[in-house]
Amino acid sequence: MNTGSDETGEVAVASEEAKAEEKAEQTQDRRGLGSRAPAFIRSRPVLHMSWQVGIFVVGLAVVVAGVVMLPLPGPGWVVIFGGMAIWATEFVWAQLVLRWTKRKVTEATQRALDPRVRRRNIVLTTVGLVIVAVLVGIYLWRFGLVMPWKIGRQ
């Protein structure tokens, strides 16, 4: 097998470096996880449990408010992620969900900035607007423009 190198020990060094980088990434992913409660609260189990319950209740209220804002006017998703951020101050699962969400949003942003994807989106938007304009034109040609306050009594 040709590795592209005349040196025999280079492959082993490269794999060890790759393993070290992978381990560093895993350590970085796990660093900073856990409770961010003050030390005096974490040192007392009953106080820490009540702190966690309080954080959960506040985060739940914010998430529920965000879910209510999804069909109603308001920044629903922003509020939901705000509630997740509140939970992430205390719960590891919420921290991991926020990291996953941030990674996915970053990936979607990169995909959306791709010139081919942008060109496709512009073409699809233009086609959609033309279709809507044609349908509105057909409706106006067929029925005309009648304002609601000029509709005769029946």
Side-chain angles (χ1 to χ4, degrees):
M1 176 166 77
N2 185 3
T3 61
S5 170
D6 294 333
E7 309 250 346
T8 57
E10 193 170 316
V11 175
V13 172
S15 65
E16 288 175 12
E17 288 176 1
K19 287 180 183 178
E21 286 179 18
E22 184 178 325
K23 187 161 183 120
E25 288 176 9
Q26 289 175 353
T27 305
Q28 184 180 5
D29 285 345
R30 293 290 179 183
R31 188 178 32 185
L33 295 179
S35 177
R36 290 187 174 82
F40 74 92
I41 291 177
R42 280 184 278 145
S43 64
R44 295 171 178 83
V46 174
L47 188 57
H48 191 230
M49 180 62 71
S50 57
W51 175 271
Q52 286 181 330
V53 167
I55 293 292
F56 183 80
V57 169
V58 170
L60 183 65
V62 172
V63 168
V64 167
V67 169
V68 168
M69 287 184 203
L70 288 175
L72 299 176
W77 285 110
V78 173
V79 174
I80 288 172
F81 290 128
M84 290 296 295
I86 291 171
W87 279 338
T89 62
E90 196 59 34
F91 302 107
V92 173
W93 61 267
Q95 293 167 1
L96 295 174
V97 167
L98 280 179
R99 285 182 182 181
W100 178 83
T101 304
K102 185 177 179 180
R103 189 171 51 250
K104 292 298 180 182
V105 167
T106 303
E107 291 171 6
T109 303
Q110 292 303 319
R111 281 194 311 267
L113 293 177
D114 180 26
R116 290 178 295 167
V117 174
R118 290 184 68 200
R119 208 173 7 248
R120 182 199 65 201
N121 289 344
I122 289 171
V123 168
L124 288 175
T125 302
T126 304
V127 168
L129 288 174
V130 167
I131 290 172
V132 168
V134 166
L135 291 175
V136 167
I138 291 171
Y139 178 83
L140 290 176
W141 174 70
R142 175 82 170 103
F143 299 107
L145 181 63
V146 178
M147 293 295 162
W149 53 84
K150 291 189 178 182
I151 295 176
R153 294 186 181 248
Q154 294 180 2

